[in-house]
Amino acid sequence: MPTEPVTAPTDEQPVVEPPPLLVLRDGLPEITETPEALAEVVRRVAAGTGPVALDAERASGYRYSSRAYLIQLRREGSGSALIDPIAFDDLADLDAAIGDAEWILHAASQDLPCLRELGLEPRALFDTELAARLLGYPRVGLATLVEVVMGRTMRKEHSAVDWSKRPLPTPWLEYAALDVEVLVELREVMVAELAEQGKERWAAEEFQHLVDHVPAPRAEPWRRTSGIHKAKGRRGLAAVRELWTMRDQIAEQRDTTPGRLIPDAAMIAAANAMPTTRAALLDTPGFHGRGARRFADRWLAALETARQVPDHELPPLTMRSDAPPAPRVWAERDPVAAGRLAHARELVTAYAEEHRVPVENLLTPDYLRRVMWKPPVTEGDAATVTAAVAEDLRRLGARAWQVEITAPMLAAAVLDPRPAEPATPAEAAQPIAQPVAPAE
C-alpha cells in the first residue's frame, strides 16, 4: 500500500514543542512509616511557614472504604513528605503541627472525608479546583491547570492505580509527590486572579463552606444503582434493594469495591428474572466471574428475601421527596411556575456568562428550582419579594455572595414570569427522576 511522503516541517508548519515536564525540586522523600519518621515530619512542618499543600491517595475501584492509603504534604521551609497512614492510628500530632495554617487542596471535597478520619481537620483552606471554576477556567483538572498556568506538563498515568498495594512503586510515589509540589505556586497565581476579577469574597465563602459543611448520609443509597429505572415494579425494586444490601455487606467484609463482585447491570437483570436455582442465576446476564459464582447462594438468598416481602411492605416506586417535579413537566402542571423558572434561568445564565462563572457555582440549580416552584411570596414590591427570596436561599444553604447576586434576579422572575411552552408528549412521557436529597 503506498504511503504518504513525509515532509520536513517548514516555517508555515512549525513544530509545537510540548511544555517541559514537571520534576521534583528536592528529589523523592522517603516514605514516612515509623513513629520516629513521623515525629521528624511533625517537627519540620511545625517549623515551616505559610500554607500547607495536602493531597491524599485512595484505592477507589479496588477497596470498599474510602480511606487514605497515602498522604502527601509540602510547606515552605518544611519540604515535602509522603506519609503511609496505614502505619499509624491517627495523625493528630501532625494536625497540631499544622495548627491554623491554611490548607491547599485540589478538589477538596474528595479528600476531606479521608483526611478527617485520620484526625486532620482544616481550620482554613484554599481549593485550587474550586478557585479555577470561579475564575472561569474551562478545564479544571490539576494537570491542565499546571500546564495552562505554570507551563509545565504532569504525568497522570498513575491516577487510578491501587494505592493499597505495598510496597508502593517508586514511579507512583514520584507522581504523588508532584501533586503537592505545584499547589503553593498555583494558589499564589489564583489569589491574584481572584483579586483582579473581584471574586475574593466569593472564593473565601466557598472555601469556608467546605470547612464547615458535613454531608448528610444518603437515604436509601441502593436507589442509586445504575439502571434502576429498568427494574420491574415494586417487587423488582425490593430485589434490587436486597441484592444491593447483600453485595454491600460482602464488599465491606472483603474490603473490595462492590462492583468487583457483581455489576449493577447484573443486579437489575436478576431482579427482573428472579432466578431460583444456581444454574439459572449464573445464566443471568452479568453473573459471571468469581464474585458471581463464589457467592451464588447469598445472591439467591437475597432474591428469596425479596420474594417473601409482603405487598404492603414493598418499596415505593419513587422516594418521598419535597423536591419539585422535573422542570420538563412544569409547563403542564403549573404554567406560572414554568414562566418563573424560564425567566430566572435567563437572568442567572446571563450573569454567569458575563462574569465567567459556571451557573451551578453561581447558584445550586436545586435551590433555584425550589424557590421558583414555591416562592415564599408572589406579590409585593421588589424589596419585599427580594428579602423573602433571600431568606429562602439562605435556609437552603446558599452562601451570602450567592444570595446577594441571585435573590434580586429570582425576585424579578417571581414578579414577572415569562410564558413557557408546555412539554411535548415525548418529553412528558419520560420518567421523572426523584432526587435522593437536595443537591449541595
Side-chain angles (χ1 to χ4, degrees):
M1 179 181 294
T3 58
E4 293 291 331
V6 178
T7 58
T10 67
D11 290 340
E12 291 74 31
Q13 298 174 313
V15 175
V16 178
E17 294 290 339
L21 193 65
L22 185 71
V23 295
L24 293 169
R25 301 174 197 174
D26 310 320
L28 182 65
E30 292 288 331
I31 192 162
T32 301
E33 53 189 352
T34 66
E36 295 77 16
L38 179 61
E40 174 59 19
V41 169
V42 167
R43 184 196 66 77
R44 287 194 285 113
V45 170
T49 59
V52 179
L54 279 157
D55 191 25
E57 305 295 348
R58 300 175 302 280
S60 303
Y62 298 92
R63 297 291 180 176
Y64 177 82
S65 75
S66 295
R67 69 180 301 176
Y69 285 93
L70 185 69
I71 303 294
Q72 310 100 277
L73 61 93
R74 184 175 179 85
R75 190 180 195 185
E76 188 67 32
S78 305
S80 295
L82 301 175
I83 301 173
D84 181 357
I86 307 303
F88 307 103
D89 292 334
D90 62 58
L91 297 176
D93 290 345
L94 178 61
D95 182 73
I98 296 172
D100 294 334
E102 179 185 79
W103 292 17
I104 312 172
L105 302 99
H106 187 81
S109 60
Q110 296 181 21
D111 288 341
L112 284 175
C114 67
L115 292 171
R116 283 171 164 147
E117 286 180 2
L118 295 166
L120 297 171
E121 188 69 42
R123 283 67 158 178
L125 65 80
F126 187 102
D127 185 337
T128 51
E129 183 197 54
L130 183 49
R133 292 184 186 279
L134 295 175
L135 288 166
Y137 282 86
R139 297 171 60 198
V140 296
L142 181 59
T144 301
L145 291 174
V146 168
E147 184 169 336
V148 171
V149 175
M150 300 172 58
R152 293 290 186 270
T153 301
M154 294 184 72
R155 291 195 178 104
K156 301 302 290 183
E157 62 265 33
H158 304 307
S159 60
V161 297
D162 180 4
W163 289 96
S164 66
K165 179 179 178 178
R166 293 295 184 273
L168 288 167
T170 297
W172 296 14
L173 295 173
E174 291 173 345
Y175 157 87
L178 284 169
D179 270 1
V180 292
E181 186 94 8
V182 294
L183 289 180
V184 173
E185 185 176 346
L186 200 57
R187 173 196 175 277
E188 291 174 357
V189 173
M190 289 184 166
V191 165
E193 291 182 350
L194 288 166
E196 183 181 348
Q197 293 188 24
K199 297 176 179 177
E200 298 159 291
R201 183 184 160 210
W202 298 12
E205 291 186 11
E206 290 302 299
F207 299 158
Q208 189 60 45
H209 176 71
L210 288 172
V211 171
D212 297 337
H213 179 67
V214 178
R218 293 190 182 278
E220 297 190 329
W222 60 270
R223 286 188 182 269
R224 297 180 64 82
T225 301
S226 179
I228 196 169
H229 62 280
K230 298 177 183 177
K232 296 177 181 177
R234 296 173 63 197
R235 185 72 58 184
L237 284 180
V240 173
R241 179 183 65 189
E242 298 305 324
L243 286 168
W244 186 96
T245 302
M246 181 64 73
R247 186 181 69 170
D248 195 65
Q249 291 172 355
I250 297 171
E252 184 175 16
Q253 292 164 1
R254 301 184 64 79
D255 192 17
T256 188
T257 188
R260 293 171 73 89
L261 297 171
I262 51 171
D264 285 8
M267 295 196 297
I268 302 299
N272 288 335
M274 297 294 280
T276 57
T277 66
R278 179 185 178 90
L281 176 75
L282 297 180
D283 279 341
T284 303
F287 272 85
H288 49 75
R290 185 185 306 173
R293 294 190 301 272
R294 182 170 186 175
F295 303 106
D297 290 345
R298 296 176 74 172
W299 309 134
L300 290 171
L303 292 170
E304 181 59 28
T305 298
R307 268 189 289 271
Q308 298 300 323
V309 176
D311 288 350
H312 68 278
E313 295 181 7
L314 291 171
L317 294 177
T318 58
M319 283 187 63
R320 294 180 179 87
S321 172
D322 63 349
R328 64 176 171 272
V329 301
W330 283 30
E332 180 181 346
R333 296 191 185 183
D334 188 338
V336 175
R340 288 193 293 262
L341 181 64
H343 192 185
R345 281 177 165 174
E346 177 185 322
L347 295 172
V348 171
T349 299
Y351 187 96
E353 291 176 350
E354 179 184 352
H355 292 82
R356 296 177 54 238
V357 60
V359 170
E360 63 271 19
N361 289 106
L362 182 57
L363 183 64
T364 302
D366 180 68
Y367 299 170
L368 186 150
R369 290 192 294 267
R370 285 172 180 267
V371 176
M372 292 298 94
W373 181 248
K374 290 185 178 179
V377 296
T378 57
E379 296 179 349
D381 58 46
T384 300
V385 177
T386 298
V389 167
E391 181 58 32
D392 254 17
L393 289 174
R394 283 190 289 268
R395 177 183 55 80
L396 288 167
R399 270 65 79 194
W401 73 273
Q402 296 174 319
V403 173
E404 290 179 12
I405 293 169
T406 63
M409 302 178 192
L410 272 58
V414 169
L415 294 170
D416 181 22
R418 302 289 172 83
E421 295 294 329
T424 66
E427 291 172 331
Q430 293 294 315
I432 298 173
Q434 295 294 332
V436 173
E440 289 298 336

